[in-house]
């Protein structure tokens, strides 16, 4: 099943203020992969993600999703295929109730109301948030907001799920819940994060971004074992790996 | 707790009240919105010296509080908060209108004092009606009802977004105010220059957030039109609520009920 691929070919992006965020990014992901995107602050992770569903268009180069070039003409298809969960759930949850928020995407797809209701219930059930259905979005806790934010995207039945800093602000239990949830999903997952233990736990493959370029693209364990590479890119091995390698004190 | 946090808790309390299941809460939001509008028009249309004639309208909030299982205490705080502004406006009446129009025993009362009392009573009635609408309906159903009543979609959506992000903005403001207080423990208030830069920073954050929200909307297929659910059903009981209360307000407006009642009691006395 190669039709759910995501491909970037020599993508450059410069912000209107002249800041060059991406400088020749190229990679190719295939169906069912779980890919982590890591890098220091300002490396270009979020900019890269915004290209995947056409929120930003490359200054030069090409982005292909599901064998379609990402362009104004294919935006509707691309946004049905790529679901994006933003870093701050308050940006994602803009409707007054959880139900309305989860229904927002399916309604925009023009689905009939019965289908919308079924999708809302199914998405909330998948993330274990059906109990919050009638609650006001602003009254959820940080972890609850995060799971509902994922439901808002799942209700559109995307093939590819893009998550920007999914563990930011989560307590350990909510983080563990999120990891378990993501492991149950069969989507292609693209996750940009600073939480390297999370990447080690969830992702099979990892891209390292540095100053807008792909510095490395390899299996996650291989990336994290390459201390020199991590050091060059303002990163460190995940804490769980550091503990394994540190001498026992007691 | 900061005043902003306290105000947010009050808003949350209103939402909790709106989630109850009572006969009042089951009334269609359209009926309640229209009834409130008729009530407000009736209150505003009394002449400026009306005080006793307004009293029958107090029955409306009292009945709503009783039927809707709402605590009267939640009305007091907002009314007390806004009272100084109304007081400042009404206090000029006794100064400019000194014509004696009635007396209580030997004490003459000028028209200014009567209109002063009338303004305060109208204010209390209007604010109570608006708060009761919110506490018995909820903000989102009110917006849906406004939409069904023909209010432009762009206006109802603005109201929804305003309400949703009021909480986020208030939380950010509280965090900034707290950060300021921690680094300026001896200043009870912000200096004007600091205040200006805080407001500027909040404005910039608001713009940044608006951009993020728009991006999030776009990525979920937003094309400039938000479809809202809200197939609200208008039953016979809703029509009865609207017509019954509206008839009472019109009657209270056209006839001075306390005066008629008083005359009736006097005529009955031997």
């Amino acid at each position: 099943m190669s039709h759910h691929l995501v491909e970037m070919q020599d993508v450059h992006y410069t912000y209107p203020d002249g800041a060059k965020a991406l400088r020749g990014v190229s990679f190719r992901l295939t169906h069912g992969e779980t890919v982590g995107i890591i890098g220091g602050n300002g490396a270009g992770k979020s900019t890269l993600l915004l290209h995947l569903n056409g929120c930003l268009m490359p200054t030069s180069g090409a982005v292909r999703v599901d064998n379609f070039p990402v362009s104004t003409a294919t935006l509707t298809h691309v946004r049905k295929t790529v679901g994006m969960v933003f870093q701050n759930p308050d940006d994602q949850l803009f409707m007054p109730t959880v139900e309305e928020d989860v229904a927002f995407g399916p309604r925009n797809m023009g689905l009939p109301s019965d289908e919308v209701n079924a999708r809302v219930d199914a998405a909330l059930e998948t993330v274990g948030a059906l109990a919050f259905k009638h609650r006001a979005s602003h009254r959820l806790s940080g972890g609850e907001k995060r799971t509902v934010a994922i439901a808002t995207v799942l209700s559109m039945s995307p093939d590819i799920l893009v998550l920007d800093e999914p563990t930011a602000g989560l307590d350990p239990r909510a983080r563990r819940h999120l990891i378990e949830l993501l492991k149950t999903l069969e989507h292609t997952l693209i996750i940009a994060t600073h939480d390297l233990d999370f990447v080690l736990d969830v992702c099979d493959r990892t891209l390292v971004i540095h100053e807008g370029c792909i510095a490395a693209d390899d299996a996650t364990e291989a990336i994290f074992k390459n201390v020199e590479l991590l050091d060059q890119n303002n990163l460190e091995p995940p804490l769980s790996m550091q503990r394994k390698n540190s001498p026992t004190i007691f | 707790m900061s005043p902003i946090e306290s105000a947010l808790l009050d808003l949350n309390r209103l939402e909790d009240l709106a989630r109850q299941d009572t006969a009042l809460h089951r009334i269609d939001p359209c009926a309640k919105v229209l009834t409130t509008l008729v009530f407000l028009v009736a209150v505003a249309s009394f002449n400026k010296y009306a005080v006793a004639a307004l009293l029958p309208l107090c029955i409306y909030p009292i009945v709503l509080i009783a039927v809707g299982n709402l605590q009267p205490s939640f009305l007091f705080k907002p009314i007390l908060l806004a009272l100084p502004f109304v007081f400042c406006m009404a206090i000029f009446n006794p100064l400019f209108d000194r014509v004696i129009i009635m007396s209580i025993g030997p004490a003459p009362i000028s028209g200014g004092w009567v209109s002063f009392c009338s303004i305060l009573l109208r204010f209390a009635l209007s604010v109570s009606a608006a708060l009761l609408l919110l506490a018995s309906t909820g903000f989102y159903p009110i917006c849906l009802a406004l939409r069904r009543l023909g209010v432009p979609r762009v206006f109802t959506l603005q109201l929804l977004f305003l309400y949703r992000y009021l909480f986020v903005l208030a939380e950010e403001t509280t965090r900034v105010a707290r950060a300021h207080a921690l680094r300026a423990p001896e200043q009870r208030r912000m200096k004007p220059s600091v205040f200006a830069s805080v407001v500027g920073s909040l404005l910039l954050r608001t713009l940044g957030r608006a951009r993020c929200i728009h991006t999030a909307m776009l990525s979920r297929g937003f094309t400039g039109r938000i479809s809202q659910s809200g197939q609200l059903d208008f039953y016979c009981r809703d029509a009865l609520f609207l017509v019954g209360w509206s008839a009472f307000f019109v009657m209270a407006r056209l006839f001075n009920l306390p005066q008629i009642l008083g005359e009736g009691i006097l005529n009955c006395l031997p």
Side-chain angles (χ1 to χ4, degrees):
Chain A
M1 289 191 44
S2 63
H3 60 287
H4 296 145
L5 62 81
V6 177
E7 191 173 15
M8 279 197 170
Q9 291 170 331
D10 195 27
V11 169
H12 290 255
Y13 183 77
T14 306
Y15 279 101
D17 65 358
K20 291 187 176 175
L22 299 181
R23 305 159 192 251
V25 171
S26 300
F27 63 84
R28 181 187 169 96
L29 314 179
T30 50
H31 175 75
E33 278 193 285
T34 304
V35 180
I37 297 178
I38 60 173
N41 289 326
K45 302 186 294 293
S46 296
T47 307
L48 187 152
L49 295 191
L50 289 173
H51 278 77
L52 297 178
N53 67 352
C55 286
L56 293 179
M57 295 290 182
T59 311
S60 67
V63 182
R64 293 181 74 83
V65 168
D66 198 11
N67 280 334
F68 285 91
V70 177
S71 66
T72 318
T74 59
L75 268 190
T76 308
H77 175 78
V78 166
R79 285 176 180 165
K80 276 182 196 168
T81 309
V82 180
M84 181 143 181
V85 181
F86 286 80
Q87 182 173 353
N88 186 346
D90 272 322
D91 296 338
Q92 184 103 15
L93 305 178
F94 42 79
M95 295 298 278
T97 65
V98 168
E99 184 181 14
E100 287 296 316
D101 239 318
V102 180
F104 180 85
R107 284 208 190 106
N108 284 331
M109 291 161 72
L111 298 174
S113 59
D114 287 350
E115 172 73 12
V116 171
N117 293 339
R119 283 191 180 211
V120 169
D121 286 351
L124 286 173
E125 182 126 40
T126 304
V127 300
L130 198 54
F132 310 144
K133 185 177 173 184
H134 300 293
R135 281 176 65 183
S137 307
H138 66 265
R139 297 187 72 178
L140 301 174
S141 71
E144 291 166 349
K145 279 183 185 171
R146 182 77 62 188
T147 49
V148 171
I150 293 174
T152 64
V153 171
L154 289 183
S155 65
M156 296 175 75
S157 300
D159 296 313
I160 299 155
L161 209 53
V162 177
L163 298 104
D164 192 2
E165 293 289 358
T167 56
L170 293 187
D171 65 31
R173 183 181 292 242
R175 180 178 170 281
R176 176 53 51 192
H177 173 75
L178 180 68
I179 290 172
E180 300 303 331
L181 168 66
L182 293 179
K183 283 181 173 174
T184 64
L185 300 178
E186 292 175 353
H187 302 69
T188 301
L189 291 176
I190 303 170
I191 303 165
T193 182
H194 287 299
D195 184 346
L196 303 183
D197 285 282
F198 179 84
V199 173
L200 187 63
D201 223 351
V202 176
C203 303
D204 311 316
R205 178 180 165 190
T206 297
L207 307 183
V208 181
I209 296 202
H210 184 63
E211 293 179 354
C213 303
I214 301 279
D217 176 357
D218 206 342
T220 300
E221 282 219 26
I223 293 277
F224 288 141
K225 280 179 181 166
N226 189 341
V227 179
E228 195 180 336
L229 170 80
L230 294 176
D231 194 42
Q232 283 166 0
N233 293 284
N234 306 325
L235 298 167
E236 286 183 339
L239 287 172
S240 53
M241 287 180 82
Q242 289 183 34
R243 261 187 244 116
K244 274 182 203 165
N245 299 332
S246 63
T248 309
I249 297 170
F250 299 105
Chain B
M1 186 181 291
S2 75
I4 297 171
E5 285 171 306
S6 170
L8 289 183
L9 278 181
D10 288 341
L11 272 177
N12 284 338
R13 206 169 144 216
L14 274 179
E15 273 182 15
D16 290 338
L17 289 173
R19 268 203 293 274
Q20 294 184 97
D21 185 25
T22 68
L24 177 64
H25 289 78
R26 285 193 288 272
I27 297 286
D28 183 86
C30 274
K32 284 187 271 189
V33 168
L34 284 174
T35 307
T36 307
L37 281 176
V38 176
F39 179 82
L40 294 176
V41 170
V43 168
S45 68
F46 278 87
N47 80 53
K48 66 176 181 176
Y49 297 127
V51 176
L54 280 165
L55 293 177
L57 293 179
C58 295
I59 292 172
Y60 178 65
I62 290 169
V63 169
L64 259 54
I65 285 170
V67 176
N69 192 26
L70 306 167
Q71 299 131 359
S73 58
F74 87 94
L75 291 174
F76 297 147
K77 198 174 165 188
I79 289 176
L80 286 175
L81 274 175
L83 195 60
F85 300 102
V86 183
F87 192 86
C88 286
M89 285 190 290
I91 197 65
F92 291 103
N93 285 20
L95 298 177
F96 294 115
D97 184 357
R98 292 164 185 254
V99 179
I100 305 299
I101 60 165
M102 60 183 287
S103 61
I104 298 177
I109 309 287
S110 72
W113 281 112
V114 176
S115 61
F116 172 81
C117 293
S118 180
I119 289 173
L120 292 190
L121 187 56
R122 282 166 213 242
F123 159 74
L125 284 170
S126 308
V127 174
S128 303
L131 288 170
L132 285 167
L133 173 67
L134 200 56
S136 64
T137 312
F139 197 79
Y140 184 51
I142 290 174
C143 288
L144 286 180
L146 290 173
R147 179 78 200 100
R148 273 205 306 167
L149 292 170
V151 174
R153 186 185 293 272
V154 65
F155 184 71
T156 56
L157 285 178
Q158 287 292 333
L159 278 178
L160 282 177
F161 278 110
L162 178 75
Y163 189 69
R164 169 69 183 89
Y165 286 99
L166 188 67
F167 290 89
V168 178
L169 182 65
E171 281 162 13
E172 284 195 3
T173 309
T174 307
R175 281 197 290 271
V176 171
R178 192 176 292 141
H180 169 267
L182 289 172
R183 284 189 286 155
E186 288 178 6
Q187 290 175 24
R188 290 191 65 196
R189 291 180 191 282
M190 279 185 199
K191 289 178 182 170
S193 58
V194 176
F195 181 77
S197 68
V198 164
V199 170
S201 145
L202 282 173
L203 178 67
L204 288 174
R205 283 191 210 186
T206 307
L207 291 174
R209 183 173 294 277
R211 202 177 301 121
C212 291
I213 293 163
H214 187 239
T215 308
M217 291 171 80
L218 287 178
S219 66
R220 275 154 69 196
F222 178 65
T223 51
R225 181 188 160 92
I226 293 183
S227 312
Q228 289 163 277
S229 70
Q231 295 303 313
L232 306 172
D233 300 312
F234 200 86
Y235 295 109
C236 192
R237 62 161 191 236
D238 307 317
L240 203 66
F241 179 87
L242 171 62
V243 173
W245 277 113
S246 299
F248 173 69
F249 301 149
V250 171
M251 201 169 67
R253 175 64 190 88
L254 296 179
F255 307 102
N256 191 335
L257 296 179
Q259 193 177 359
I260 293 170
L261 189 68
E263 284 170 1
I265 291 170
L266 285 176
N267 289 339
C268 290
L269 290 176

